[in-house]
Amino acid sequence: MFTEEKKKNTNYGSIFVYCFFCLVFIVEVVRFAKPYYNLQNLTETEAVIEEGLLEVGILPCNFRSSVSSAARNHQKLSATIREETRTRPPVTYCVKFDSFATMSKLVIDNGDKYESHPFSAGGYNWTFLVYPNENKPVGSGGYVSLYVKIDNSSFIENQNEVYAWIKFITYKSTTDTYHELHVTDAQRFHLFKQEYGMLNFLEIAYYKDPGSGFVFNGGQSVFGVDIVVSNPSTWEDVSYEENIRDPVVYWGIPNFTIGDHVFYTSDTFSSGGKNWVLKLYPNGAGSEMGNSLSLYLLSASNEKGYVKAKFRVIDQIRSNNVEKQVEGWPNAKENGWGVDKLIPFADVQDPSRGFLVKDTIKFEVEIMAFTRTNSIYN
Protein backbone atom coordinates (compact mmCIF):
# COMPACT_ATOMS: atom_id res chain seq x y z
CA MET A 1 0.00 0.00 0.00
CA PHE A 2 2.69 2.48 0.94
CA THR A 3 4.68 1.73 -2.19
CA GLU A 4 1.67 2.25 -4.50
CA GLU A 5 0.74 5.61 -2.87
CA LYS A 6 4.25 6.95 -3.36
CA LYS A 7 4.13 6.02 -7.06
CA LYS A 8 0.91 8.01 -7.53
CA ASN A 9 2.44 11.17 -6.02
CA THR A 10 5.45 10.93 -8.30
CA ASN A 11 3.22 10.82 -11.42
CA TYR A 12 1.31 13.97 -10.42
CA GLY A 13 4.55 15.89 -10.03
CA SER A 14 5.72 14.94 -13.52
CA ILE A 15 2.43 16.07 -15.04
CA PHE A 16 2.69 19.43 -13.27
CA VAL A 17 6.24 20.06 -14.56
CA TYR A 18 5.23 19.07 -18.12
CA CYS A 19 2.25 21.47 -18.11
CA PHE A 20 4.39 24.33 -16.79
CA PHE A 21 6.91 24.04 -19.64
CA CYS A 22 4.10 23.85 -22.22
CA LEU A 23 2.63 27.09 -20.88
CA VAL A 24 6.00 28.86 -21.04
CA PHE A 25 6.47 27.69 -24.66
CA ILE A 26 3.04 29.04 -25.71
CA VAL A 27 3.67 32.45 -24.08
CA GLU A 28 7.00 32.81 -25.89
CA VAL A 29 5.44 31.94 -29.27
CA VAL A 30 2.74 34.59 -28.80
CA ARG A 31 5.32 37.18 -27.72
CA PHE A 32 7.48 36.72 -30.84
CA ALA A 33 4.51 36.58 -33.20
CA LYS A 34 3.01 39.87 -31.97
CA PRO A 35 5.29 42.26 -33.94
CA TYR A 36 4.38 40.52 -37.20
CA TYR A 37 0.70 40.86 -36.40
CA ASN A 38 1.10 44.56 -35.61
CA LEU A 39 2.99 45.15 -38.84
CA GLN A 40 -0.09 44.13 -40.83
CA ASN A 41 -2.34 46.75 -39.25
CA LEU A 42 -1.69 49.34 -41.93
CA THR A 43 -4.86 50.94 -43.33
CA GLU A 44 -6.47 53.19 -45.86
CA THR A 45 -9.57 55.35 -45.21
CA GLU A 46 -12.35 57.23 -46.96
CA ALA A 47 -14.71 60.06 -45.80
CA VAL A 48 -15.55 63.48 -44.18
CA ILE A 49 -14.70 65.64 -41.07
CA GLU A 50 -13.28 69.09 -40.39
CA GLU A 51 -11.10 71.55 -38.48
CA GLY A 52 -8.15 71.13 -36.08
CA LEU A 53 -7.61 72.26 -32.49
CA LEU A 54 -4.11 72.81 -31.24
CA GLU A 55 -1.52 75.34 -32.21
CA VAL A 56 0.87 74.49 -35.04
CA GLY A 57 4.45 75.30 -34.03
CA ILE A 58 7.72 75.57 -35.94
CA LEU A 59 10.52 73.70 -34.12
CA PRO A 60 12.15 71.51 -35.43
CA CYS A 61 10.70 71.44 -38.98
CA ASN A 62 9.70 73.70 -41.83
CA PHE A 63 6.15 74.58 -42.85
CA ARG A 64 4.10 75.17 -46.01
CA SER A 65 0.38 76.04 -46.53
CA SER A 66 -3.02 75.92 -48.67
CA VAL A 67 -7.20 74.27 -48.45
CA SER A 68 -9.20 71.19 -46.75
CA SER A 69 -11.73 68.13 -46.70
CA ALA A 70 -12.72 64.72 -44.87
CA ALA A 71 -12.62 60.89 -43.58
CA ARG A 72 -13.50 57.47 -41.94
CA ASN A 73 -13.91 53.65 -42.59
CA HIS A 74 -10.61 51.78 -42.24
CA GLN A 75 -9.62 48.63 -44.12
CA LYS A 76 -6.48 46.46 -44.25
CA LEU A 77 -3.79 47.28 -46.80
CA SER A 78 -1.28 44.68 -48.00
CA ALA A 79 1.92 46.30 -49.28
CA THR A 80 5.61 46.49 -48.46
CA ILE A 81 6.22 48.66 -45.39
CA ARG A 82 9.57 50.36 -44.80
CA GLU A 83 10.74 51.75 -41.47
CA GLU A 84 13.70 54.13 -41.63
CA THR A 85 15.64 56.65 -39.59
CA ARG A 86 16.75 59.93 -41.20
CA THR A 87 18.21 63.30 -40.26
CA ARG A 88 16.26 65.35 -42.82
CA PRO A 89 13.05 67.02 -41.54
CA PRO A 90 9.70 66.50 -43.28
CA VAL A 91 9.70 68.29 -46.62
CA THR A 92 5.95 68.78 -47.07
CA TYR A 93 4.32 69.56 -43.72
CA CYS A 94 5.08 69.40 -40.01
CA VAL A 95 3.06 69.84 -36.79
CA LYS A 96 4.50 70.44 -33.31
CA PHE A 97 2.35 70.00 -30.21
CA ASP A 98 3.48 71.91 -27.12
CA SER A 99 2.00 69.10 -25.02
CA PHE A 100 1.14 65.68 -26.40
CA ALA A 101 -0.78 64.85 -23.20
CA THR A 102 -2.91 68.01 -23.36
CA MET A 103 -3.60 67.53 -27.05
CA SER A 104 -4.75 63.95 -26.39
CA LYS A 105 -7.42 65.27 -24.02
CA LEU A 106 -8.55 68.21 -26.15
CA VAL A 107 -9.22 66.14 -29.28
CA ILE A 108 -11.66 63.81 -27.54
CA ASP A 109 -14.47 66.21 -28.52
CA ASN A 110 -13.18 66.38 -32.10
CA GLY A 111 -13.48 62.74 -33.10
CA ASP A 112 -10.27 61.94 -31.18
CA LYS A 113 -8.15 63.53 -33.87
CA TYR A 114 -6.18 66.67 -34.60
CA GLU A 115 -6.58 68.02 -38.15
CA SER A 116 -3.97 70.46 -39.43
CA HIS A 117 -4.42 73.68 -41.35
CA PRO A 118 -4.72 73.10 -45.11
CA PHE A 119 -1.46 72.93 -47.09
CA SER A 120 -0.42 72.38 -50.69
CA ALA A 121 1.59 69.49 -52.17
CA GLY A 122 1.98 68.57 -55.83
CA GLY A 123 -0.62 71.14 -56.88
CA TYR A 124 -3.34 69.69 -54.61
CA ASN A 125 -4.73 70.71 -51.22
CA TRP A 126 -4.32 68.41 -48.21
CA THR A 127 -4.75 68.21 -44.43
CA PHE A 128 -2.74 66.13 -41.95
CA LEU A 129 -4.56 64.11 -39.27
CA VAL A 130 -3.11 62.83 -35.97
CA TYR A 131 -5.01 60.36 -33.76
CA PRO A 132 -3.25 60.35 -30.35
CA ASN A 133 -5.62 58.18 -28.28
CA GLU A 134 -5.94 54.43 -27.83
CA ASN A 135 -8.16 52.53 -30.27
CA LYS A 136 -8.96 55.73 -32.14
CA PRO A 137 -9.65 55.01 -34.96
CA VAL A 138 -11.11 51.63 -34.05
CA GLY A 139 -8.51 48.92 -34.48
CA SER A 140 -5.47 51.08 -33.74
CA GLY A 141 -5.08 49.60 -30.25
CA GLY A 142 -2.30 51.35 -28.37
CA TYR A 143 -0.85 53.13 -31.37
CA VAL A 144 -0.78 56.71 -32.66
CA SER A 145 -2.45 56.82 -36.10
CA LEU A 146 -1.43 59.27 -38.85
CA TYR A 147 -3.40 60.13 -42.01
CA VAL A 148 -3.47 62.59 -44.90
CA LYS A 149 -6.62 63.78 -46.61
CA ILE A 150 -6.89 65.38 -50.04
CA ASP A 151 -9.40 68.15 -50.68
CA ASN A 152 -12.20 66.69 -52.82
CA SER A 153 -12.43 69.89 -54.88
CA SER A 154 -9.10 68.80 -56.41
CA PHE A 155 -10.93 66.08 -58.34
CA ILE A 156 -13.53 68.50 -59.65
CA GLU A 157 -11.04 71.15 -60.79
CA ASN A 158 -8.28 68.88 -62.09
CA GLN A 159 -8.45 65.13 -62.74
CA ASN A 160 -10.43 62.12 -61.57
CA GLU A 161 -7.63 60.51 -59.55
CA VAL A 162 -4.27 61.33 -58.00
CA TYR A 163 -1.35 59.00 -57.18
CA ALA A 164 1.05 60.00 -54.41
CA TRP A 165 3.85 58.49 -52.31
CA ILE A 166 3.25 59.19 -48.62
CA LYS A 167 5.80 59.08 -45.77
CA PHE A 168 4.77 59.58 -42.15
CA ILE A 169 7.40 60.98 -39.76
CA THR A 170 7.97 61.79 -36.08
CA TYR A 171 10.91 63.48 -34.34
CA LYS A 172 13.16 61.71 -31.81
CA SER A 173 15.08 64.20 -29.69
CA THR A 174 17.49 61.76 -28.02
CA THR A 175 19.16 61.03 -31.38
CA ASP A 176 18.14 64.24 -33.20
CA THR A 177 16.68 62.10 -35.99
CA TYR A 178 13.31 61.40 -37.59
CA HIS A 179 11.51 58.07 -37.43
CA GLU A 180 9.84 57.35 -40.78
CA LEU A 181 7.30 54.75 -41.84
CA HIS A 182 5.96 54.37 -45.37
CA VAL A 183 4.56 51.97 -47.92
CA THR A 184 6.64 51.55 -51.08
CA ASP A 185 3.65 51.76 -53.44
CA ALA A 186 2.05 55.03 -54.53
CA GLN A 187 -1.40 55.55 -53.05
CA ARG A 188 -4.44 56.25 -55.22
CA PHE A 189 -6.83 59.05 -54.21
CA HIS A 190 -10.15 59.77 -55.89
CA LEU A 191 -13.58 61.24 -55.15
CA PHE A 192 -14.61 58.19 -53.10
CA LYS A 193 -11.24 57.65 -51.41
CA GLN A 194 -9.88 60.94 -50.15
CA GLU A 195 -7.88 59.69 -47.16
CA TYR A 196 -4.95 57.37 -46.55
CA GLY A 197 -2.96 56.59 -43.43
CA MET A 198 -1.23 54.23 -41.03
CA LEU A 199 -3.40 52.80 -38.30
CA ASN A 200 -0.40 51.60 -36.26
CA PHE A 201 2.29 54.26 -36.70
CA LEU A 202 4.03 54.16 -33.30
CA GLU A 203 3.03 53.01 -29.80
CA ILE A 204 1.36 55.72 -27.69
CA ALA A 205 3.54 54.59 -24.75
CA TYR A 206 6.56 56.22 -26.42
CA TYR A 207 4.83 59.62 -26.21
CA LYS A 208 4.22 59.15 -22.49
CA ASP A 209 7.86 58.32 -21.71
CA PRO A 210 10.31 61.29 -21.94
CA GLY A 211 13.17 58.80 -22.01
CA SER A 212 12.04 57.55 -25.43
CA GLY A 213 12.91 60.87 -27.04
CA PHE A 214 9.56 61.20 -28.85
CA VAL A 215 8.39 63.71 -26.24
CA PHE A 216 10.82 66.43 -25.16
CA ASN A 217 11.06 69.90 -23.60
CA GLY A 218 8.28 69.21 -21.11
CA GLY A 219 6.04 67.10 -23.35
CA GLN A 220 6.43 68.51 -26.85
CA SER A 221 6.09 66.19 -29.86
CA VAL A 222 6.53 66.58 -33.62
CA PHE A 223 4.75 64.80 -36.48
CA GLY A 224 5.27 65.31 -40.19
CA VAL A 225 4.48 64.02 -43.65
CA ASP A 226 6.17 63.89 -47.05
CA ILE A 227 3.82 63.86 -50.05
CA VAL A 228 5.20 63.31 -53.56
CA VAL A 229 2.49 63.50 -56.21
CA SER A 230 2.91 61.54 -59.43
CA ASN A 231 2.30 63.90 -62.34
CA PRO A 232 0.23 62.64 -65.30
CA SER A 233 2.45 61.09 -67.94
CA THR A 234 2.75 62.39 -71.50
CA TRP A 235 2.86 59.92 -74.41
CA GLU A 236 3.93 60.29 -78.01
CA ASP A 237 1.84 58.53 -80.61
CA VAL A 238 4.02 58.15 -83.73
CA SER A 239 2.54 57.03 -87.07
CA TYR A 240 3.94 56.74 -90.61
CA GLU A 241 1.54 58.26 -93.14
CA GLU A 242 1.77 57.55 -96.88
CA ASN A 243 -1.62 58.56 -98.27
CA ILE A 244 -0.96 62.29 -98.10
CA ARG A 245 -3.75 64.79 -98.69
CA ASP A 246 -2.76 67.59 -101.14
CA PRO A 247 0.68 66.09 -101.76
CA VAL A 248 1.85 68.35 -104.64
CA VAL A 249 2.68 72.05 -104.24
CA TYR A 250 3.98 74.47 -106.90
CA TRP A 251 6.31 77.39 -106.24
CA GLY A 252 7.36 80.00 -108.78
CA ILE A 253 10.01 82.69 -108.25
CA PRO A 254 9.75 85.70 -110.62
CA ASN A 255 12.69 87.99 -111.38
CA PHE A 256 15.02 85.17 -110.50
CA THR A 257 18.76 85.64 -110.92
CA ILE A 258 21.65 83.66 -109.58
CA GLY A 259 23.75 85.60 -107.09
CA ASP A 260 21.26 88.31 -106.06
CA HIS A 261 19.92 86.54 -102.94
CA VAL A 262 21.42 84.34 -100.25
CA PHE A 263 18.18 82.34 -100.21
CA TYR A 264 14.50 82.47 -101.23
CA THR A 265 11.73 81.25 -98.89
CA SER A 266 8.26 80.21 -100.00
CA ASP A 267 5.01 81.06 -98.29
CA THR A 268 3.87 78.50 -95.73
CA PHE A 269 1.74 75.77 -97.31
CA SER A 270 -0.25 72.81 -96.00
CA SER A 271 0.15 69.20 -97.09
CA GLY A 272 -1.09 66.15 -95.22
CA GLY A 273 -2.42 68.30 -92.42
CA LYS A 274 1.04 69.73 -91.63
CA ASN A 275 2.56 73.10 -92.49
CA TRP A 276 5.72 73.32 -94.57
CA VAL A 277 8.10 75.84 -96.15
CA LEU A 278 10.47 75.54 -99.13
CA LYS A 279 13.87 77.21 -99.01
CA LEU A 280 16.06 77.71 -102.09
CA TYR A 281 19.74 78.66 -102.09
CA PRO A 282 20.37 80.20 -105.57
CA ASN A 283 24.15 80.14 -105.05
CA GLY A 284 24.14 76.61 -103.71
CA ALA A 285 24.80 75.25 -100.21
CA GLY A 286 27.08 72.73 -98.60
CA SER A 287 29.36 70.89 -101.02
CA GLU A 288 27.57 72.45 -104.02
CA MET A 289 28.17 76.07 -103.08
CA GLY A 290 28.84 77.99 -106.33
CA ASN A 291 27.84 75.07 -108.60
CA SER A 292 24.16 74.13 -108.22
CA LEU A 293 20.82 75.27 -106.86
CA SER A 294 20.10 73.73 -103.44
CA LEU A 295 16.51 73.16 -102.28
CA TYR A 296 15.16 72.14 -98.86
CA LEU A 297 11.80 71.28 -97.35
CA LEU A 298 11.31 72.61 -93.82
CA SER A 299 8.71 71.94 -91.16
CA ALA A 300 6.99 75.22 -90.30
CA SER A 301 6.79 74.07 -86.66
CA ASN A 302 10.39 72.75 -86.59
CA GLU A 303 9.35 69.11 -86.18
CA LYS A 304 11.98 66.42 -86.58
CA GLY A 305 10.62 63.36 -88.32
CA TYR A 306 11.03 61.00 -91.23
CA VAL A 307 10.07 62.44 -94.64
CA LYS A 308 9.91 61.07 -98.18
CA ALA A 309 9.52 63.72 -100.89
CA LYS A 310 10.37 64.57 -104.50
CA PHE A 311 11.67 67.92 -105.75
CA ARG A 312 11.18 68.95 -109.38
CA VAL A 313 12.57 71.86 -111.40
CA ILE A 314 9.90 72.50 -114.05
CA ASP A 315 10.84 72.51 -117.73
CA GLN A 316 8.44 75.22 -118.92
CA ILE A 317 8.91 74.34 -122.60
CA ARG A 318 8.88 70.53 -123.00
CA SER A 319 7.98 69.32 -119.49
CA ASN A 320 11.30 67.53 -119.31
CA ASN A 321 11.56 68.19 -115.58
CA VAL A 322 14.59 67.54 -113.36
CA GLU A 323 13.57 65.40 -110.39
CA LYS A 324 15.42 64.49 -107.17
CA GLN A 325 14.10 62.44 -104.26
CA VAL A 326 14.89 62.91 -100.61
CA GLU A 327 14.05 60.33 -97.94
CA GLY A 328 15.06 60.07 -94.29
CA TRP A 329 15.46 62.14 -91.15
CA PRO A 330 16.45 65.84 -91.28
CA ASN A 331 19.72 66.11 -93.18
CA ALA A 332 20.13 69.80 -93.84
CA LYS A 333 20.36 73.26 -92.37
CA GLU A 334 17.61 74.53 -90.08
CA ASN A 335 16.15 71.09 -89.45
CA GLY A 336 15.15 70.36 -93.05
CA TRP A 337 15.15 67.69 -95.75
CA GLY A 338 16.72 68.49 -99.08
CA VAL A 339 19.42 68.16 -101.72
CA ASP A 340 22.55 70.24 -102.16
CA LYS A 341 22.76 69.41 -105.86
CA LEU A 342 19.32 69.97 -107.39
CA ILE A 343 20.35 71.37 -110.81
CA PRO A 344 23.64 72.87 -112.07
CA PHE A 345 23.80 76.62 -112.74
CA ALA A 346 24.67 75.94 -116.40
CA ASP A 347 21.40 74.09 -117.00
CA VAL A 348 19.37 76.85 -115.37
CA GLN A 349 21.01 79.54 -117.50
CA ASP A 350 20.65 77.59 -120.76
CA PRO A 351 17.52 79.06 -122.49
CA SER A 352 17.03 75.88 -124.53
CA ARG A 353 16.45 73.84 -121.39
CA GLY A 354 13.33 75.82 -120.45
CA PHE A 355 14.01 76.11 -116.70
CA LEU A 356 14.22 79.90 -116.64
CA VAL A 357 11.56 81.57 -118.78
CA LYS A 358 10.95 85.32 -118.62
CA ASP A 359 13.15 85.44 -115.53
CA THR A 360 10.80 83.02 -113.73
CA ILE A 361 11.85 79.65 -112.35
CA LYS A 362 9.28 77.10 -111.14
CA PHE A 363 9.54 74.25 -108.65
CA GLU A 364 7.28 71.46 -107.53
CA VAL A 365 7.44 69.41 -104.34
CA GLU A 366 5.54 66.17 -103.85
CA ILE A 367 5.33 65.02 -100.25
CA MET A 368 4.93 61.25 -100.42
CA ALA A 369 5.16 60.17 -96.77
CA PHE A 370 6.15 61.36 -93.31
CA THR A 371 5.98 60.43 -89.64
CA ARG A 372 3.38 62.20 -87.52
CA THR A 373 3.80 62.59 -83.77
CA ASN A 374 0.88 63.42 -81.48
CA SER A 375 1.23 64.08 -77.76
CA ILE A 376 -1.24 62.28 -75.47
CA TYR A 377 -1.78 63.59 -71.95
CA ASN A 378 -3.14 61.15 -69.38
Side-chain angles (χ1 to χ4, degrees), residues 83-97:
E83 185 173 2
E84 298 177 5
T85 298
R86 71 190 217 190
T87 56
R88 179 170 49 87
V91 296
T92 301
Y93 203 76
C94 195
V95 173
K96 178 179 73 69
F97 297 114

Side-chain angles (χ1 to χ4, degrees), residues 317-335:
I317 299 175
R318 294 175 298 276
S319 298
N320 188 19
N321 304 331
V322 171
E323 180 179 283
K324 294 288 180 71
Q325 181 171 307
V326 60
E327 181 174 2
W329 301 93
N331 66 339
K333 292 181 179 180
E334 301 184 24
N335 196 30

Side-chain angles (χ1 to χ4, degrees), residues 336-354:
W337 304 262
V339 289
D340 291 343
K341 187 177 182 179
L342 179 61
I343 184 172
F345 292 158
D347 291 348
V348 174
Q349 294 169 327
D350 183 352
S352 67
R353 301 295 300 271

Side-chain angles (χ1 to χ4, degrees), residues 13 105 108-109 137 143 178 231 245 315 363:
K105 296 174 184 176
I108 292 174
D109 295 330
Y143 284 78
Y178 293 86
N231 293 321
R245 186 176 71 252
D315 178 354
F363 301 93

Side-chain angles (χ1 to χ4, degrees), residues 121-231:
Y124 299 91
N125 298 320
W126 308 76
T127 51
F128 182 34
L129 287 77
V130 181
Y131 292 83
N133 293 324
E134 290 189 10
N135 209 36
K136 300 294 180 181
V138 174
S140 62
Y143 284 78
V144 170
S145 301
L146 300 181
Y147 288 82
V148 289
K149 183 171 59 180
I150 191 169
D151 182 0
N152 61 6
S153 65
S154 300
F155 303 113
I156 299 171
E157 298 171 1
N158 296 288
Q159 60 191 69
N160 294 325
E161 58 184 27
V162 173
Y163 287 85
W165 286 271
I166 311 294
K167 295 181 178 181
F168 293 106
I169 302 151
T170 190
Y171 180 66
K172 187 174 183 179
S173 63
T174 52
T175 57
D176 193 24
T177 58
Y178 293 86
H179 175 80
E180 173 191 302
L181 204 63
H182 68 274
V183 172
T184 55
D185 295 337
Q187 303 305 313
R188 177 171 172 255
F189 297 85
H190 51 81
L191 193 59
F192 304 106
K193 181 185 169 294
Q194 301 162 23
E195 186 173 329
Y196 161 79
M198 288 192 172
L199 194 61
N200 302 118
F201 174 69
L202 197 63
E203 289 91 335
I204 294 173
Y206 284 124
Y207 296 95
K208 295 180 178 179
D209 176 16
S212 70
F214 292 105
V215 286
F216 53 93
N217 292 349
Q220 293 182 5
S221 59
V222 170
F223 299 93
V225 62
D226 288 352
I227 301 175
V228 178
V229 174
S230 175
N231 293 321

Side-chain angles (χ1 to χ4, degrees), residues 107-127:
V107 298
I108 292 174
D109 295 330
N110 191 53
D112 278 289
K113 74 175 184 302
Y114 171 79
E115 184 168 359
S116 75
H117 293 308
F119 59 92
S120 178
Y124 299 91
N125 298 320
W126 308 76
T127 51

Side-chain angles (χ1 to χ4, degrees), residues 26 31 60 74-75 114 188:
I26 292 170
R31 186 169 68 88
H74 307 273
Q75 63 186 131
Y114 171 79
R188 177 171 172 255

